[in-house]
Amino acid sequence: QVQLVESGGGLVQPGGSLRLSCAASGFTINTYSMNWYRQAPGKERELVASITRTGDFTNYADSVKGRFTISRNNAENTVYLQMNSLKPEDTAVYYCNARMWGSNYWGQGTQVTVSS
């Protein structure tokens, strides 16, 4: 079965860093665009970062541009989100997403809390 397994979330102080990982199983991500979303309490789900199938193009929400980096390792069947200079407003549940044509797969979500 298709599954996205996320890891790396947790509690971090403002200014700190985290790296989220999303490991795919049941399919190979090399044919999928990969995305990270987040949803904070009382807020709409927000697209944070996207990366094309071969990793040649990336895109970021304005709020994270210059601080977050999305990457993928197709050989490892894994996508990453490196988060630096974290702010309290980055606190949210972060979701990994894989999309191709009519297929749309989601991870279970991982909590990121930025607080002193």
Side-chain angles (χ1 to χ4, degrees):
Q1 83 289 351
V2 169
Q3 193 172 11
L4 297 172
V5 180
E6 298 169 315
S7 61
L11 176 65
V12 65
Q13 292 188 351
S17 298
L18 285 174
R19 189 176 77 155
L20 305 183
S21 299
C22 177
S25 60
F27 73 110
T28 54
I29 68 168
N30 64 339
T31 60
Y32 289 77
S33 296
M34 302 298 295
N35 311 278
W36 287 96
Y37 288 80
R38 69 184 182 187
Q39 188 163 23
K43 303 291 185 179
E44 292 185 336
R45 187 181 63 183
E46 174 188 22
L47 177 62
V48 175
S50 301
I51 188 167
T52 54
R53 289 180 295 169
T54 58
D56 50 343
F57 294 100
T58 58
N59 196 27
Y60 300 92
D62 288 341
S63 58
V64 307
K65 202 169 296 181
R67 300 187 297 119
F68 290 12
T69 303
I70 187 171
S71 62
R72 65 194 298 157
N73 189 329
N74 287 345
E76 298 288 341
N77 220 30
T78 303
V79 63
Y80 304 95
L81 184 67
Q82 179 67 45
M83 304 184 294
N84 298 327
S85 302
L86 282 161
K87 305 174 180 179
E89 50 263 44
D90 295 319
T91 296
V93 178
Y94 284 72
Y95 298 92
C96 179
N97 167 258
R99 187 174 300 125
M100 181 185 66
W101 300 325
S103 298
N104 198 352
Y105 303 132
W106 293 89
Q108 79 285 0
T110 185
Q111 177 71 49
V112 172
T113 302
V114 184
S115 176
S116 58

